[in-house]
PDB file of all heavy atoms in Angstrom:
ATOM      1  N   PRO A  23     103.696  55.689  89.139  1.00 96.00           N
ATOM      2  CA  PRO A  23     103.455  56.047  87.746  1.00 96.00           C
ATOM      3  C   PRO A  23     103.140  54.859  86.831  1.00 96.00           C
ATOM      4  O   PRO A  23     103.244  54.973  85.614  1.00 96.00           O
ATOM      5  CB  PRO A  23     104.791  56.671  87.347  1.00 96.00           C
ATOM      6  CG  PRO A  23     105.809  55.874  88.116  1.00 96.00           C
ATOM      7  CD  PRO A  23     105.140  55.559  89.420  1.00 96.00           C
ATOM      8  N   PHE A  24     102.767  53.721  87.385  1.00 97.00           N
ATOM      9  CA  PHE A  24     102.374  52.568  86.570  1.00 97.00           C
ATOM     10  C   PHE A  24     100.903  52.675  86.147  1.00 97.00           C
ATOM     11  O   PHE A  24     100.512  52.176  85.100  1.00 97.00           O
ATOM     12  CB  PHE A  24     102.592  51.278  87.349  1.00 97.00           C
ATOM     13  CG  PHE A  24     103.980  51.147  87.909  1.00 97.00           C
ATOM     14  CD1 PHE A  24     104.267  51.571  89.189  1.00 97.00           C
ATOM     15  CD2 PHE A  24     105.002  50.636  87.135  1.00 97.00           C
ATOM     16  CE1 PHE A  24     105.547  51.462  89.712  1.00 97.00           C
ATOM     17  CE2 PHE A  24     106.291  50.524  87.633  1.00 97.00           C
ATOM     18  CZ  PHE A  24     106.559  50.951  88.932  1.00 97.00           C
ATOM     19  N   GLN A  25     100.094  53.305  86.984  1.00 97.00           N
ATOM     20  CA  GLN A  25      98.683  53.539  86.732  1.00 97.00           C
ATOM     21  C   GLN A  25      98.487  54.960  86.223  1.00 97.00           C
ATOM     22  O   GLN A  25      98.986  55.910  86.834  1.00 97.00           O
ATOM     23  CB  GLN A  25      97.878  53.339  88.022  1.00 97.00           C
ATOM     24  CG  GLN A  25      96.523  54.008  88.088  1.00 97.00           C
ATOM     25  CD  GLN A  25      95.476  53.350  87.196  1.00 97.00           C
ATOM     26  OE1 GLN A  25      95.697  52.276  86.648  1.00 97.00           O
ATOM     27  NE2 GLN A  25      94.335  53.978  87.072  1.00 97.00           N
ATOM     28  N   PRO A  26      97.793  55.178  85.086  1.00 97.00           N
ATOM     29  CA  PRO A  26      97.524  56.552  84.642  1.00 97.00           C
ATOM     30  C   PRO A  26      96.832  57.350  85.730  1.00 97.00           C
ATOM     31  O   PRO A  26      95.891  56.872  86.370  1.00 97.00           O
ATOM     32  CB  PRO A  26      96.597  56.344  83.433  1.00 97.00           C
ATOM     33  CG  PRO A  26      96.880  54.959  82.959  1.00 97.00           C
ATOM     34  CD  PRO A  26      97.212  54.161  84.189  1.00 97.00           C
ATOM     35  N   PHE A  27      97.302  58.573  85.958  1.00 96.00           N
ATOM     36  CA  PHE A  27      96.755  59.429  87.017  1.00 96.00           C
ATOM     37  C   PHE A  27      96.528  60.807  86.422  1.00 96.00           C
ATOM     38  O   PHE A  27      97.462  61.544  86.137  1.00 96.00           O
ATOM     39  CB  PHE A  27      97.732  59.495  88.197  1.00 96.00           C
ATOM     40  CG  PHE A  27      97.154  60.082  89.444  1.00 96.00           C
ATOM     41  CD1 PHE A  27      96.757  59.264  90.500  1.00 96.00           C
ATOM     42  CD2 PHE A  27      96.983  61.451  89.583  1.00 96.00           C
ATOM     43  CE1 PHE A  27      96.213  59.801  91.664  1.00 96.00           C
ATOM     44  CE2 PHE A  27      96.434  62.002  90.726  1.00 96.00           C
ATOM     45  CZ  PHE A  27      96.059  61.167  91.776  1.00 96.00           C
ATOM     46  N   ASN A  28      95.261  61.154  86.217  1.00 96.00           N
ATOM     47  CA  ASN A  28      94.938  62.399  85.525  1.00 96.00           C
ATOM     48  C   ASN A  28      93.478  62.748  85.775  1.00 96.00           C
ATOM     49  O   ASN A  28      92.593  61.912  85.596  1.00 96.00           O
ATOM     50  CB  ASN A  28      95.202  62.216  84.014  1.00 96.00           C
ATOM     51  CG  ASN A  28      94.887  63.432  83.189  1.00 96.00           C
ATOM     52  OD1 ASN A  28      93.798  63.985  83.247  1.00 96.00           O
ATOM     53  ND2 ASN A  28      95.845  63.852  82.381  1.00 96.00           N
ATOM     54  N   ARG A  29      93.227  63.966  86.198  1.00 96.00           N
ATOM     55  CA  ARG A  29      91.866  64.519  86.266  1.00 96.00           C
ATOM     56  C   ARG A  29      91.817  65.735  85.354  1.00 96.00           C
ATOM     57  O   ARG A  29      92.648  66.641  85.482  1.00 96.00           O
ATOM     58  CB  ARG A  29      91.496  64.913  87.711  1.00 96.00           C
ATOM     59  CG  ARG A  29      91.295  63.740  88.643  1.00 96.00           C
ATOM     60  CD  ARG A  29      90.796  64.202  90.026  1.00 96.00           C
ATOM     61  NE  ARG A  29      91.759  65.091  90.655  1.00 96.00           N
ATOM     62  CZ  ARG A  29      92.764  64.679  91.440  1.00 96.00           C
ATOM     63  NH1 ARG A  29      92.942  63.387  91.678  1.00 96.00           N
ATOM     64  NH2 ARG A  29      93.593  65.549  91.981  1.00 96.00           N
ATOM     65  N   SER A  30      90.832  65.767  84.453  1.00 97.00           N
ATOM     66  CA  SER A  30      90.791  66.814  83.439  1.00 97.00           C
ATOM     67  C   SER A  30      89.364  67.175  83.077  1.00 97.00           C
ATOM     68  O   SER A  30      88.441  66.356  83.224  1.00 97.00           O
ATOM     69  CB  SER A  30      91.511  66.342  82.164  1.00 97.00           C
ATOM     70  OG  SER A  30      92.882  66.143  82.380  1.00 97.00           O
ATOM     71  N   PRO A  31      89.138  68.395  82.561  1.00 97.00           N
ATOM     72  CA  PRO A  31      87.822  68.756  82.005  1.00 97.00           C
ATOM     73  C   PRO A  31      87.523  67.910  80.781  1.00 97.00           C
ATOM     74  O   PRO A  31      88.416  67.639  79.973  1.00 97.00           O
ATOM     75  CB  PRO A  31      87.996  70.226  81.630  1.00 97.00           C
ATOM     76  CG  PRO A  31      89.177  70.704  82.417  1.00 97.00           C
ATOM     77  CD  PRO A  31      90.075  69.526  82.558  1.00 97.00           C
ATOM     78  N   GLN A  32      86.275  67.502  80.636  1.00 98.00           N
ATOM     79  CA  GLN A  32      85.930  66.588  79.546  1.00 98.00           C
ATOM     80  C   GLN A  32      84.433  66.583  79.272  1.00 98.00           C
ATOM     81  O   GLN A  32      83.627  66.998  80.103  1.00 98.00           O
ATOM     82  CB  GLN A  32      86.371  65.169  79.892  1.00 98.00           C
ATOM     83  CG  GLN A  32      85.755  64.619  81.163  1.00 98.00           C
ATOM     84  CD  GLN A  32      86.471  63.376  81.647  1.00 98.00           C
ATOM     85  OE1 GLN A  32      86.083  62.264  81.297  1.00 98.00           O
ATOM     86  NE2 GLN A  32      87.500  63.554  82.479  1.00 98.00           N
ATOM     87  N   VAL A  33      84.104  66.091  78.101  1.00 98.00           N
ATOM     88  CA  VAL A  33      82.731  65.738  77.746  1.00 98.00           C
ATOM     89  C   VAL A  33      82.753  64.247  77.447  1.00 98.00           C
ATOM     90  O   VAL A  33      83.467  63.812  76.528  1.00 98.00           O
ATOM     91  CB  VAL A  33      82.235  66.534  76.530  1.00 98.00           C
ATOM     92  CG1 VAL A  33      80.829  66.076  76.140  1.00 98.00           C
ATOM     93  CG2 VAL A  33      82.255  68.032  76.827  1.00 98.00           C
ATOM     94  N   ARG A  34      82.008  63.467  78.221  1.00 98.00           N
ATOM     95  CA  ARG A  34      82.088  62.010  78.117  1.00 98.00           C
ATOM     96  C   ARG A  34      80.692  61.400  78.067  1.00 98.00           C
ATOM     97  O   ARG A  34      79.830  61.731  78.882  1.00 98.00           O
ATOM     98  CB  ARG A  34      82.847  61.447  79.320  1.00 98.00           C
ATOM     99  CG  ARG A  34      83.073  59.948  79.246  1.00 98.00           C
ATOM    100  CD  ARG A  34      84.047  59.516  80.323  1.00 98.00           C
ATOM    101  NE  ARG A  34      83.457  59.484  81.642  1.00 98.00           N
ATOM    102  CZ  ARG A  34      84.166  59.469  82.770  1.00 98.00           C
ATOM    103  NH1 ARG A  34      85.486  59.523  82.721  1.00 98.00           N
ATOM    104  NH2 ARG A  34      83.572  59.403  83.928  1.00 98.00           N
ATOM    105  N   TYR A  35      80.497  60.519  77.099  1.00 98.00           N
ATOM    106  CA  TYR A  35      79.217  59.826  76.972  1.00 98.00           C
ATOM    107  C   TYR A  35      79.441  58.324  77.099  1.00 98.00           C
ATOM    108  O   TYR A  35      80.315  57.762  76.430  1.00 98.00           O
ATOM    109  CB  TYR A  35      78.540  60.131  75.641  1.00 98.00           C
ATOM    110  CG  TYR A  35      77.154  59.514  75.548  1.00 98.00           C
ATOM    111  CD1 TYR A  35      76.089  60.041  76.262  1.00 98.00           C
ATOM    112  CD2 TYR A  35      76.927  58.377  74.773  1.00 98.00           C
ATOM    113  CE1 TYR A  35      74.817  59.481  76.207  1.00 98.00           C
ATOM    114  CE2 TYR A  35      75.664  57.810  74.702  1.00 98.00           C
ATOM    115  CZ  TYR A  35      74.615  58.355  75.432  1.00 98.00           C
ATOM    116  OH  TYR A  35      73.380  57.787  75.386  1.00 98.00           O
ATOM    117  N   THR A  36      78.644  57.685  77.940  1.00 98.00           N
ATOM    118  CA  THR A  36      78.711  56.241  78.139  1.00 98.00           C
ATOM    119  C   THR A  36      77.384  55.631  77.741  1.00 98.00           C
ATOM    120  O   THR A  36      76.325  56.037  78.243  1.00 98.00           O
ATOM    121  CB  THR A  36      79.039  55.899  79.603  1.00 98.00           C
ATOM    122  OG1 THR A  36      80.294  56.474  79.954  1.00 98.00           O
ATOM    123  CG2 THR A  36      79.118  54.388  79.793  1.00 98.00           C
ATOM    124  N   LEU A  37      77.431  54.666  76.841  1.00 97.00           N
ATOM    125  CA  LEU A  37      76.235  54.006  76.327  1.00 97.00           C
ATOM    126  C   LEU A  37      76.216  52.553  76.770  1.00 97.00           C
ATOM    127  O   LEU A  37      77.254  51.872  76.740  1.00 97.00           O
ATOM    128  CB  LEU A  37      76.225  54.077  74.793  1.00 97.00           C
ATOM    129  CG  LEU A  37      75.119  53.312  74.063  1.00 97.00           C
ATOM    130  CD1 LEU A  37      73.761  53.950  74.328  1.00 97.00           C
ATOM    131  CD2 LEU A  37      75.420  53.248  72.560  1.00 97.00           C
ATOM    132  N   GLN A  38      75.041  52.074  77.179  1.00 96.00           N
ATOM    133  CA  GLN A  38      74.865  50.665  77.529  1.00 96.00           C
ATOM    134  C   GLN A  38      73.931  50.032  76.498  1.00 96.00           C
ATOM    135  O   GLN A  38      72.712  50.002  76.665  1.00 96.00           O
ATOM    136  CB  GLN A  38      74.293  50.514  78.938  1.00 96.00           C
ATOM    137  CG  GLN A  38      74.202  49.074  79.396  1.00 96.00           C
ATOM    138  CD  GLN A  38      73.658  48.941  80.819  1.00 96.00           C
ATOM    139  OE1 GLN A  38      73.219  49.909  81.428  1.00 96.00           O
ATOM    140  NE2 GLN A  38      73.674  47.721  81.327  1.00 96.00           N
ATOM    141  N   PRO A  39      74.503  49.482  75.409  1.00 95.00           N
ATOM    142  CA  PRO A  39      73.644  48.921  74.357  1.00 95.00           C
ATOM    143  C   PRO A  39      72.962  47.631  74.772  1.00 95.00           C
ATOM    144  O   PRO A  39      71.843  47.353  74.330  1.00 95.00           O
ATOM    145  CB  PRO A  39      74.620  48.691  73.197  1.00 95.00           C
ATOM    146  CG  PRO A  39      75.946  48.515  73.859  1.00 95.00           C
ATOM    147  CD  PRO A  39      75.926  49.379  75.075  1.00 95.00           C
ATOM    148  N   VAL A  40      73.652  46.808  75.575  1.00 95.00           N
ATOM    149  CA  VAL A  40      73.090  45.563  76.093  1.00 95.00           C
ATOM    150  C   VAL A  40      73.531  45.416  77.537  1.00 95.00           C
ATOM    151  O   VAL A  40      74.401  46.149  78.025  1.00 95.00           O
ATOM    152  CB  VAL A  40      73.550  44.330  75.263  1.00 95.00           C
ATOM    153  CG1 VAL A  40      73.019  44.397  73.852  1.00 95.00           C
ATOM    154  CG2 VAL A  40      75.067  44.219  75.259  1.00 95.00           C
ATOM    155  N   LYS A  41      72.955  44.452  78.234  1.00 94.00           N
ATOM    156  CA  LYS A  41      73.274  44.241  79.633  1.00 94.00           C
ATOM    157  C   LYS A  41      74.762  43.968  79.818  1.00 94.00           C
ATOM    158  O   LYS A  41      75.355  43.172  79.097  1.00 94.00           O
ATOM    159  CB  LYS A  41      72.455  43.070  80.186  1.00 94.00           C
ATOM    160  CG  LYS A  41      72.655  42.827  81.672  1.00 94.00           C
ATOM    161  CD  LYS A  41      71.802  41.672  82.158  1.00 94.00           C
ATOM    162  CE  LYS A  41      72.017  41.436  83.649  1.00 94.00           C
ATOM    163  NZ  LYS A  41      71.210  40.276  84.140  1.00 94.00           N
ATOM    164  N   ASN A  42      75.376  44.666  80.787  1.00 96.00           N
ATOM    165  CA  ASN A  42      76.765  44.485  81.223  1.00 96.00           C
ATOM    166  C   ASN A  42      77.817  45.024  80.259  1.00 96.00           C
ATOM    167  O   ASN A  42      79.014  44.938  80.543  1.00 96.00           O
ATOM    168  CB  ASN A  42      77.074  43.003  81.501  1.00 96.00           C
ATOM    169  CG  ASN A  42      76.227  42.420  82.609  1.00 96.00           C
ATOM    170  OD1 ASN A  42      75.809  43.129  83.525  1.00 96.00           O
ATOM    171  ND2 ASN A  42      75.951  41.129  82.521  1.00 96.00           N
ATOM    172  N   ILE A  43      77.403  45.559  79.116  1.00 97.00           N
ATOM    173  CA  ILE A  43      78.359  46.110  78.155  1.00 97.00           C
ATOM    174  C   ILE A  43      78.221  47.633  78.126  1.00 97.00           C
ATOM    175  O   ILE A  43      77.113  48.157  77.980  1.00 97.00           O
ATOM    176  CB  ILE A  43      78.141  45.545  76.738  1.00 97.00           C
ATOM    177  CG1 ILE A  43      78.353  44.035  76.745  1.00 97.00           C
ATOM    178  CG2 ILE A  43      79.093  46.210  75.754  1.00 97.00           C
ATOM    179  CD1 ILE A  43      79.762  43.597  77.071  1.00 97.00           C
ATOM    180  N   PHE A  44      79.375  48.336  78.230  1.00 98.00           N
ATOM    181  CA  PHE A  44      79.377  49.791  78.250  1.00 98.00           C
ATOM    182  C   PHE A  44      80.387  50.313  77.214  1.00 98.00           C
ATOM    183  O   PHE A  44      81.535  49.861  77.182  1.00 98.00           O
ATOM    184  CB  PHE A  44      79.741  50.314  79.636  1.00 98.00           C
ATOM    185  CG  PHE A  44      78.776  49.907  80.707  1.00 98.00           C
ATOM    186  CD1 PHE A  44      78.936  48.703  81.384  1.00 98.00           C
ATOM    187  CD2 PHE A  44      77.704  50.721  81.041  1.00 98.00           C
ATOM    188  CE1 PHE A  44      78.048  48.315  82.364  1.00 98.00           C
ATOM    189  CE2 PHE A  44      76.810  50.340  82.020  1.00 98.00           C
ATOM    190  CZ  PHE A  44      76.969  49.133  82.688  1.00 98.00           C
ATOM    191  N   LEU A  45      79.932  51.252  76.379  1.00 98.00           N
ATOM    192  CA  LEU A  45      80.781  51.908  75.392  1.00 98.00           C
ATOM    193  C   LEU A  45      80.977  53.367  75.804  1.00 98.00           C
ATOM    194  O   LEU A  45      79.997  54.055  76.116  1.00 98.00           O
ATOM    195  CB  LEU A  45      80.147  51.844  74.000  1.00 98.00           C
ATOM    196  CG  LEU A  45      79.763  50.446  73.484  1.00 98.00           C
ATOM    197  CD1 LEU A  45      79.066  50.563  72.131  1.00 98.00           C
ATOM    198  CD2 LEU A  45      80.998  49.544  73.387  1.00 98.00           C
ATOM    199  N   THR A  46      82.220  53.831  75.796  1.00 98.00           N
ATOM    200  CA  THR A  46      82.525  55.180  76.255  1.00 98.00           C
ATOM    201  C   THR A  46      83.300  55.944  75.202  1.00 98.00           C
ATOM    202  O   THR A  46      84.265  55.425  74.626  1.00 98.00           O
ATOM    203  CB  THR A  46      83.338  55.157  77.561  1.00 98.00           C
ATOM    204  OG1 THR A  46      82.577  54.535  78.592  1.00 98.00           O
ATOM    205  CG2 THR A  46      83.695  56.571  78.008  1.00 98.00           C
ATOM    206  N   GLY A  47      82.879  57.168  74.945  1.00 98.00           N
ATOM    207  CA  GLY A  47      83.615  58.085  74.091  1.00 98.00           C
ATOM    208  C   GLY A  47      83.778  59.413  74.801  1.00 98.00           C
ATOM    209  O   GLY A  47      82.862  59.867  75.506  1.00 98.00           O
ATOM    210  N   ALA A  48      84.941  60.045  74.672  1.00 98.00           N
ATOM    211  CA  ALA A  48      85.186  61.281  75.410  1.00 98.00           C
ATOM    212  C   ALA A  48      86.108  62.200  74.639  1.00 98.00           C
ATOM    213  O   ALA A  48      86.980  61.761  73.879  1.00 98.00           O
ATOM    214  CB  ALA A  48      85.787  60.964  76.785  1.00 98.00           C
ATOM    215  N   ALA A  49      85.903  63.500  74.853  1.00 98.00           N
ATOM    216  CA  ALA A  49      86.831  64.545  74.425  1.00 98.00           C
ATOM    217  C   ALA A  49      87.351  65.220  75.690  1.00 98.00           C
ATOM    218  O   ALA A  49      86.551  65.687  76.516  1.00 98.00           O
ATOM    219  CB  ALA A  49      86.129  65.556  73.520  1.00 98.00           C
ATOM    220  N   VAL A  50      88.667  65.272  75.845  1.00 98.00           N
ATOM    221  CA  VAL A  50      89.290  65.685  77.103  1.00 98.00           C
ATOM    222  C   VAL A  50      90.266  66.830  76.842  1.00 98.00           C
ATOM    223  O   VAL A  50      90.985  66.833  75.844  1.00 98.00           O
ATOM    224  CB  VAL A  50      90.043  64.505  77.763  1.00 98.00           C
ATOM    225  CG1 VAL A  50      90.537  64.886  79.147  1.00 98.00           C
ATOM    226  CG2 VAL A  50      89.151  63.266  77.831  1.00 98.00           C
ATOM    227  N   TRP A  51      90.293  67.795  77.770  1.00 97.00           N
ATOM    228  CA  TRP A  51      91.217  68.927  77.699  1.00 97.00           C
ATOM    229  C   TRP A  51      92.126  68.923  78.923  1.00 97.00           C
ATOM    230  O   TRP A  51      91.687  68.631  80.032  1.00 97.00           O
ATOM    231  CB  TRP A  51      90.445  70.242  77.626  1.00 97.00           C
ATOM    232  CG  TRP A  51      89.783  70.471  76.316  1.00 97.00           C
ATOM    233  CD1 TRP A  51      90.247  71.216  75.280  1.00 97.00           C
ATOM    234  CD2 TRP A  51      88.519  69.935  75.880  1.00 97.00           C
ATOM    235  NE1 TRP A  51      89.367  71.187  74.226  1.00 97.00           N
ATOM    236  CE2 TRP A  51      88.291  70.417  74.569  1.00 97.00           C
ATOM    237  CE3 TRP A  51      87.558  69.122  76.475  1.00 97.00           C
ATOM    238  CZ2 TRP A  51      87.157  70.088  73.849  1.00 97.00           C
ATOM    239  CZ3 TRP A  51      86.423  68.791  75.759  1.00 97.00           C
ATOM    240  CH2 TRP A  51      86.231  69.277  74.456  1.00 97.00           C
ATOM    241  N   GLN A  52      93.388  69.267  78.726  1.00 96.00           N
ATOM    242  CA  GLN A  52      94.344  69.245  79.832  1.00 96.00           C
ATOM    243  C   GLN A  52      94.145  70.435  80.762  1.00 96.00           C
ATOM    244  O   GLN A  52      93.730  71.512  80.349  1.00 96.00           O
ATOM    245  CB  GLN A  52      95.780  69.248  79.297  1.00 96.00           C
ATOM    246  CG  GLN A  52      96.143  67.995  78.536  1.00 96.00           C
ATOM    247  CD  GLN A  52      97.581  68.009  78.053  1.00 96.00           C
ATOM    248  OE1 GLN A  52      98.330  68.953  78.292  1.00 96.00           O
ATOM    249  NE2 GLN A  52      97.986  66.953  77.361  1.00 96.00           N
ATOM    250  N   MET A  53      94.465  70.217  82.056  1.00 92.00           N
ATOM    251  CA  MET A  53      94.452  71.313  83.019  1.00 92.00           C
ATOM    252  C   MET A  53      95.551  71.096  84.046  1.00 92.00           C
ATOM    253  O   MET A  53      96.693  71.465  83.843  1.00 92.00           O
ATOM    254  CB  MET A  53      93.092  71.485  83.692  1.00 92.00           C
ATOM    255  CG  MET A  53      92.964  72.838  84.396  1.00 92.00           C
ATOM    256  SD  MET A  53      91.393  73.117  85.241  1.00 92.00           S
ATOM    257  CE  MET A  53      91.632  72.168  86.736  1.00 92.00           C
ATOM    258  N   GLN A  54      95.253  70.409  85.171  1.00 89.00           N
ATOM    259  CA  GLN A  54      96.227  70.283  86.252  1.00 89.00           C
ATOM    260  C   GLN A  54      97.381  69.359  85.904  1.00 89.00           C
ATOM    261  O   GLN A  54      98.507  69.570  86.329  1.00 89.00           O
ATOM    262  CB  GLN A  54      95.520  69.792  87.523  1.00 89.00           C
ATOM    263  CG  GLN A  54      94.569  70.837  88.109  1.00 89.00           C
ATOM    264  CD  GLN A  54      93.668  70.251  89.179  1.00 89.00           C
ATOM    265  OE1 GLN A  54      93.325  69.079  89.143  1.00 89.00           O
ATOM    266  NE2 GLN A  54      93.285  71.071  90.142  1.00 89.00           N
ATOM    267  N   THR A  55      97.114  68.300  85.172  1.00 91.00           N
ATOM    268  CA  THR A  55      98.173  67.417  84.693  1.00 91.00           C
ATOM    269  C   THR A  55      98.263  67.585  83.184  1.00 91.00           C
ATOM    270  O   THR A  55      97.303  67.313  82.467  1.00 91.00           O
ATOM    271  CB  THR A  55      97.884  65.954  85.068  1.00 91.00           C
ATOM    272  OG1 THR A  55      96.530  65.628  84.749  1.00 91.00           O
ATOM    273  CG2 THR A  55      98.097  65.725  86.551  1.00 91.00           C
ATOM    274  N   SER A  56      99.432  68.031  82.714  1.00 94.00           N
ATOM    275  CA  SER A  56      99.550  68.445  81.322  1.00 94.00           C
ATOM    276  C   SER A  56     100.837  67.912  80.708  1.00 94.00           C
ATOM    277  O   SER A  56     101.690  67.322  81.381  1.00 94.00           O
ATOM    278  CB  SER A  56      99.526  69.971  81.229  1.00 94.00           C
ATOM    279  OG  SER A  56     100.567  70.530  82.010  1.00 94.00           O
ATOM    280  N   SER A  57     100.990  68.134  79.415  1.00 96.00           N
ATOM    281  CA  SER A  57     102.185  67.728  78.692  1.00 96.00           C
ATOM    282  C   SER A  57     103.352  68.658  79.013  1.00 96.00           C
ATOM    283  O   SER A  57     103.167  69.815  79.409  1.00 96.00           O
ATOM    284  CB  SER A  57     101.921  67.734  77.181  1.00 96.00           C
ATOM    285  OG  SER A  57     100.916  66.800  76.836  1.00 96.00           O
ATOM    286  N   ASN A  58     104.567  68.127  78.811  1.00 95.00           N
ATOM    287  CA  ASN A  58     105.778  68.924  78.999  1.00 95.00           C
ATOM    288  C   ASN A  58     106.238  69.449  77.642  1.00 95.00           C
ATOM    289  O   ASN A  58     105.882  68.913  76.597  1.00 95.00           O
ATOM    290  CB  ASN A  58     106.866  68.063  79.645  1.00 95.00           C
ATOM    291  CG  ASN A  58     108.008  68.892  80.205  1.00 95.00           C
ATOM    292  OD1 ASN A  58     107.959  70.119  80.185  1.00 95.00           O
ATOM    293  ND2 ASN A  58     109.029  68.236  80.700  1.00 95.00           N
ATOM    294  N   GLY A  59     107.060  70.514  77.663  1.00 94.00           N
ATOM    295  CA  GLY A  59     107.540  71.093  76.424  1.00 94.00           C
ATOM    296  C   GLY A  59     108.581  72.163  76.659  1.00 94.00           C
ATOM    297  O   GLY A  59     109.139  72.275  77.753  1.00 94.00           O
ATOM    298  N   PRO A  60     108.854  72.977  75.639  1.00 93.00           N
ATOM    299  CA  PRO A  60     109.914  73.984  75.731  1.00 93.00           C
ATOM    300  C   PRO A  60     109.754  74.979  76.879  1.00 93.00           C
ATOM    301  O   PRO A  60     110.758  75.528  77.354  1.00 93.00           O
ATOM    302  CB  PRO A  60     109.825  74.700  74.377  1.00 93.00           C
ATOM    303  CG  PRO A  60     109.239  73.681  73.453  1.00 93.00           C
ATOM    304  CD  PRO A  60     108.278  72.893  74.286  1.00 93.00           C
ATOM    305  N   VAL A  61     108.540  75.228  77.346  1.00 93.00           N
ATOM    306  CA  VAL A  61     108.353  76.153  78.465  1.00 93.00           C
ATOM    307  C   VAL A  61     107.847  75.428  79.704  1.00 93.00           C
ATOM    308  O   VAL A  61     107.246  76.038  80.586  1.00 93.00           O
ATOM    309  CB  VAL A  61     107.395  77.310  78.079  1.00 93.00           C
ATOM    310  CG1 VAL A  61     107.997  78.164  76.980  1.00 93.00           C
ATOM    311  CG2 VAL A  61     106.028  76.778  77.669  1.00 93.00           C
ATOM    312  N   GLY A  62     108.081  74.129  79.783  1.00 93.00           N
ATOM    313  CA  GLY A  62     107.697  73.366  80.973  1.00 93.00           C
ATOM    314  C   GLY A  62     106.341  72.710  80.810  1.00 93.00           C
ATOM    315  O   GLY A  62     105.775  72.630  79.719  1.00 93.00           O
ATOM    316  N   PHE A  63     105.791  72.247  81.937  1.00 94.00           N
ATOM    317  CA  PHE A  63     104.473  71.614  81.920  1.00 94.00           C
ATOM    318  C   PHE A  63     103.395  72.679  81.835  1.00 94.00           C
ATOM    319  O   PHE A  63     103.302  73.559  82.698  1.00 94.00           O
ATOM    320  CB  PHE A  63     104.272  70.772  83.187  1.00 94.00           C
ATOM    321  CG  PHE A  63     105.036  69.481  83.184  1.00 94.00           C
ATOM    322  CD1 PHE A  63     106.289  69.396  83.779  1.00 94.00           C
ATOM    323  CD2 PHE A  63     104.507  68.350  82.585  1.00 94.00           C
ATOM    324  CE1 PHE A  63     106.996  68.211  83.780  1.00 94.00           C
ATOM    325  CE2 PHE A  63     105.214  67.151  82.574  1.00 94.00           C
ATOM    326  CZ  PHE A  63     106.463  67.083  83.173  1.00 94.00           C
ATOM    327  N   THR A  64     102.560  72.583  80.810  1.00 95.00           N
ATOM    328  CA  THR A  64     101.472  73.547  80.631  1.00 95.00           C
ATOM    329  C   THR A  64     100.427  72.965  79.690  1.00 95.00           C
ATOM    330  O   THR A  64     100.767  72.223  78.753  1.00 95.00           O
ATOM    331  CB  THR A  64     101.997  74.889  80.061  1.00 95.00           C
ATOM    332  OG1 THR A  64     100.882  75.730  79.708  1.00 95.00           O
ATOM    333  CG2 THR A  64     102.848  74.664  78.835  1.00 95.00           C
ATOM    334  N   PRO A  65      99.137  73.314  79.879  1.00 96.00           N
ATOM    335  CA  PRO A  65      98.092  72.859  78.943  1.00 96.00           C
ATOM    336  C   PRO A  65      98.163  73.546  77.584  1.00 96.00           C
ATOM    337  O   PRO A  65      97.431  73.168  76.672  1.00 96.00           O
ATOM    338  CB  PRO A  65      96.784  73.221  79.664  1.00 96.00           C
ATOM    339  CG  PRO A  65      97.172  73.516  81.088  1.00 96.00           C
ATOM    340  CD  PRO A  65      98.581  74.002  81.041  1.00 96.00           C
ATOM    341  N   ALA A  66      99.051  74.550  77.439  1.00 96.00           N
ATOM    342  CA  ALA A  66      99.064  75.363  76.218  1.00 96.00           C
ATOM    343  C   ALA A  66      99.379  74.538  74.974  1.00 96.00           C
ATOM    344  O   ALA A  66      98.893  74.850  73.886  1.00 96.00           O
ATOM    345  CB  ALA A  66     100.081  76.491  76.363  1.00 96.00           C
TER     346      ALA A  66
END
């Protein structure tokens, strides 16, 4: 658990404005790995 481990549905855009530089923006939704709460682990 030292390394983030998560696969999720997302929309992600990666831009390369100049050589070797990459900018990434994403909107991510939970699915298989989700937050915990009053009713357990769920994406709800």
Side-chain angles (χ1 to χ4, degrees):
F24 307 93
Q25 158 72 9
F27 193 102
N28 179 307
R29 290 185 299 271
S30 295
Q32 59 194 268
V33 177
R34 184 169 75 197
Y35 185 74
T36 300
L37 174 68
Q38 185 179 7
V40 295
K41 184 179 180 181
N42 299 330
I43 298 295
F44 299 87
L45 305 177
T46 298
V50 187
W51 287 262
Q52 294 182 1
M53 196 181 79
Q54 292 168 329
T55 47
S56 58
S57 297
N58 195 4
V61 296
F63 285 95
T64 171

